[in-house]
């Protein structure tokens, strides 16, 4: 199996191989995903979905090879592990994505006896779901999203369940308000992402806070998260370009060494040819042995063959330099194209969110008006209160936590909504 995974690696000299291994090691880094800033501290649990990518830098070819047999999407099972090809079950519950990435790279290196550890990237593709129970319109299982609160979670279930007409409109208002809160949070993330992409395209080191986020409570955290991602992406690009530059320098040194060797061999050939001329003259006069003549002719043939080998090796090294230069150009062009595509997609998502926000605010306004009209005939002497609580699993035990609408929700939580009627 080791032979099939490493197939295609050329035979190199010890110095060239060592230099290329150093270049390959320089770019063996893990790439963060969409939730990288969150996933670094987030500990995994059953039903979390992961996206794993494993790659190996081919220094001699100046390209990255993807280990497609291992790369893919995986779900943490009930036992707390993920099942990977070749590696079997890898424990994941209670660990972070960074720890899983290190473990996968280390096990692959040990399993196949690789000189360098492969670069493994583990991205949290989807959090484990949350659950709504109690007095909500549609109880059940729902997907978790970052920055989710109890209010946002309840809005996923259609809001609170009410029997009175006035409270039905209030439920519609809460539902629309929850949608609006989620959309505003997503819009803020997209605005900062757009600012980060614009900074990368302009090759700037800082992200300018969008005017729409002036005074926003989460603006600083979003900017810090996107800046960390920008630094990581810039570092990865520079490491790849440095590796290609080092490869070109190594090949150029090889070309110069071959050139010097060619000069020496050419000089030796000229001397041998002069000696051959003298031997030929003596042979014609019968003063030289045929064995000596044969020996010097063999020497001439050996030197000519050595010069041909040097010229061939020099030509191959020059072709490798040209390919490395082309790879460098392609890397820069692909990077620019990726930034332009990401910016275009972000602009499109912002336009869609703007339309959804307008709709949500119109629905909130309508619900307020209708709720005010319906409240003209309330039930006398009765007021309704809502009690929220969160059931959370920790260390194999369930803990009940008192909550309100702004309490943060974590993946795997059960949000319980209970009505309490107070007689006035």
């Amino acid at each position: 199996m080791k032979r099939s995974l490493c197939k295609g690696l050329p035979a190199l000299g010890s110095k060239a191989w060592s230099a290329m291994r150093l270049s390959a090691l320089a770019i063996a880094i893990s790439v963060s995903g969409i939730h990288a800033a969150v996933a670094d501290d987030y500990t995994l649990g059953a039903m979390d979905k992961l996206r794993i990518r494993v790659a190996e830098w081919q220094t001699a070819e100046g390209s990255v090879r993807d280990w497609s047999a291992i790369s893919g999407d995986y779900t943490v099972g009930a036992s707390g592990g993920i099942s990977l090809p070749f590696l079997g079950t890898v424990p994941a519950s209670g660990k972070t994505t960074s720890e899983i990435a290190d473990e996968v790279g280390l096990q692959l290196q040990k399993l196949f006896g690789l000189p360098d550890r492969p670069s493994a990237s583990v991205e949290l593709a989807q959090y484990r779901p949350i659950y709504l129970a109690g007095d909500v319109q549609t109880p059940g299982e729902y997907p978790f999203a970052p920055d989710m609160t109890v209010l946002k979670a309840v809005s996923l279930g259609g809001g609170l369940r009410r029997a009175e007409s006035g409270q039905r409109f209030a439920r519609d208002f809460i539902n629309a308000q929850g949608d609006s809160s989620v959309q505003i949070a997503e819009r803020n993330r997209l605005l900062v992402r757009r600012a980060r992409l614009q900074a990368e395209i302009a090759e700037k080191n800082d992200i300018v806070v969008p005017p729409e986020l002036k005074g926003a409570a989460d603006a600083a955290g979003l900017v810090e998260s996107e800046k960390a991602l920008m630094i990581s992406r810039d570092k990865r690009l520079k490491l790849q370009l440095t590796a290609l530059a080092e490869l070109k320098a190594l090949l150029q040194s090889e070309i110069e060494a071959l050139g010097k060797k060619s000069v020496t061999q050419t000089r030796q050939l000229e001397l041998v040819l002069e000696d051959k001329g003298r031997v030929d003259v003596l042979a014609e006069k019968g003063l030289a042995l045929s064995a000596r003549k044969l020996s010097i002719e063999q020497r001439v043939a050996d030197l000519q063959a050595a010069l041909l080998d040097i010229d061939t090796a020099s030509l191959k090294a020059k072709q490798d330099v040209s390919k490395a230069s082309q790879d460098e150009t392609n890397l820069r062009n692909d990077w620019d194209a990726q930034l332009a595509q990401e910016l275009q997609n972000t602009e499109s998502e912002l336009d869609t969110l703007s339309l959804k926000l307008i709709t949500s605010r119109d629905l909130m306004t309508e619900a307020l008006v209708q709720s005010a009209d319906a409240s003209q005939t309330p039930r006398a002497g009765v007021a309704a209160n809502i009690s929220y609580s969160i059931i959370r699993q920790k260390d194999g035990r369930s803990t009940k936590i008192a909550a309100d609408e702004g309490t943060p929700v974590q993946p795997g939580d059960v949000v319980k909504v209970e009505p309490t009627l107070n007689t006035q």
Side-chain angles (χ1 to χ4, degrees):
M1 182 59 67
K2 185 194 303 182
R3 185 181 300 110
S4 63
L5 286 175
C6 298
K7 183 178 180 181
L9 289 176
L12 300 173
S14 60
K15 292 183 178 179
W17 178 244
S18 299
M20 291 182 181
R21 286 179 58 191
L22 290 175
S23 298
L25 182 61
I27 64 167
I29 57 176
S30 298
V31 182
S32 299
I34 297 176
H35 305 303
V38 177
D40 282 345
D41 298 325
Y42 176 73
T43 56
L44 302 172
M47 297 182 69
D48 279 330
K49 294 184 179 180
L50 305 177
R51 181 168 294 116
I52 298 178
R53 295 289 181 269
V54 181
E56 178 185 0
W57 174 249
Q58 301 263 314
T59 306
E61 300 176 4
S63 61
V64 176
R65 180 169 62 183
D66 184 18
W67 290 43
S68 56
I70 297 177
S71 300
D73 294 348
Y74 300 90
T75 301
V76 180
S79 62
I82 53 176
S83 181
L84 299 178
F86 305 115
L87 302 182
T89 301
V90 177
S93 183
K95 296 184 177 181
T96 64
T97 54
S98 298
E99 292 172 340
I100 298 297
D102 291 340
E103 180 67 19
V104 170
L106 182 61
Q107 288 197 25
L108 286 174
Q109 184 183 20
K110 291 181 179 179
L111 178 63
F112 296 112
L114 301 176
D116 297 313
R117 184 185 303 180
S119 174
S121 167
V122 180
E123 172 189 350
L124 186 58
Q126 182 177 327
Y127 293 93
R128 54 186 181 271
I130 63 167
Y131 303 88
L132 299 181
D135 200 38
V136 293
Q137 187 66 25
T138 309
E141 175 183 313
Y142 292 92
F144 175 83
D147 300 327
M148 179 170 285
T149 62
V150 168
L151 178 60
K152 295 177 183 178
V154 171
S155 71
L156 295 177
L160 301 175
R161 183 170 56 234
R162 294 290 186 272
E164 292 82 0
S165 59
Q167 293 185 352
R168 176 172 61 84
F169 294 125
R171 181 199 64 206
D172 293 341
F173 174 82
I174 292 175
N175 188 18
Q177 186 183 44
D179 291 341
S180 178
S181 298
V182 173
Q183 291 159 4
I184 289 174
E186 180 64 21
R187 184 202 63 178
N188 292 347
R189 282 193 291 271
L190 289 174
L191 287 171
V192 178
R193 183 196 301 174
R194 182 178 66 181
R196 186 255 300 167
L197 290 171
Q198 291 172 342
E200 288 181 317
I201 292 174
E203 298 183 355
K204 295 181 179 179
N205 296 325
D206 293 322
I207 298 176
V208 178
V209 180
E212 298 90 341
L213 295 183
K214 296 296 184 181
D218 58 345
L222 292 173
V223 170
E224 183 178 355
S225 175
E226 289 293 332
K227 187 171 183 180
L229 177 59
M230 182 176 70
I231 293 174
S232 175
R233 286 157 58 100
D234 181 67
K235 181 180 179 182
R236 178 182 59 177
L237 177 63
K238 288 180 178 178
L239 285 174
Q240 291 175 339
L241 291 174
T242 300
L244 289 173
E246 291 177 353
L247 176 60
K248 289 167 62 178
L250 176 65
L251 292 171
Q252 195 62 43
S253 298
E254 183 180 352
I255 292 172
E256 293 174 0
L258 289 171
K260 295 178 181 178
K261 187 175 181 181
S262 177
V263 172
T264 302
Q265 292 289 84
T266 301
R267 178 57 182 162
Q268 290 182 1
L269 179 59
E270 291 174 352
L271 295 174
V272 173
L273 287 175
E274 291 177 1
D275 193 21
K276 180 178 179 297
R278 290 191 292 269
V279 171
D280 289 342
V281 172
L282 294 175
E284 291 177 357
K285 296 179 180 180
L287 300 177
L289 297 176
S290 59
R292 182 181 177 187
K293 182 179 180 181
L294 180 62
S295 174
I296 199 166
E297 288 178 351
Q298 181 64 44
R299 176 62 175 163
V300 170
D302 291 343
L303 287 173
Q304 289 175 339
L307 278 173
L308 182 60
D309 291 341
I310 291 172
D311 292 340
T312 302
S314 180
L315 179 60
K316 177 63 170 60
K318 290 177 181 179
Q319 291 175 342
D320 290 342
V321 169
S322 178
K323 185 178 183 304
S325 298
Q326 184 61 45
D327 288 341
E328 182 178 4
T329 301
N330 292 340
L331 180 62
R332 294 183 184 275
N333 291 340
D334 291 345
W335 175 253
D336 293 339
Q338 178 185 346
L339 289 178
Q341 184 62 51
E342 289 182 3
L343 182 59
Q344 182 180 1
N345 293 341
T346 302
E347 294 283 6
S348 177
E349 292 179 32
L350 278 171
D351 292 340
T352 301
L353 270 178
S354 296
L355 294 176
K356 289 182 178 180
L357 272 172
I358 293 174
T359 302
S360 296
R361 287 167 180 169
D362 290 343
L363 290 174
M364 290 168 61
T365 301
E366 181 181 0
L368 281 175
V369 173
Q370 293 175 337
S371 178
D373 293 340
S375 65
Q376 299 299 322
T377 57
R379 291 179 56 187
V382 177
N385 293 328
I386 298 297
S387 173
Y388 300 100
S389 61
I390 294 176
I391 310 300
R392 181 170 297 164
Q393 292 286 338
K394 187 175 182 180
D395 299 329
R397 301 177 60 184
S398 297
T399 303
K400 186 174 183 179
I401 304 171
D404 55 32
E405 293 180 345
T407 301
V409 177
Q410 298 182 8
D413 282 353
V414 178
V415 179
K416 191 172 183 180
V417 183
E418 299 174 298
T420 303
L421 294 179
N422 294 333
T423 302
Q424 298 177 344

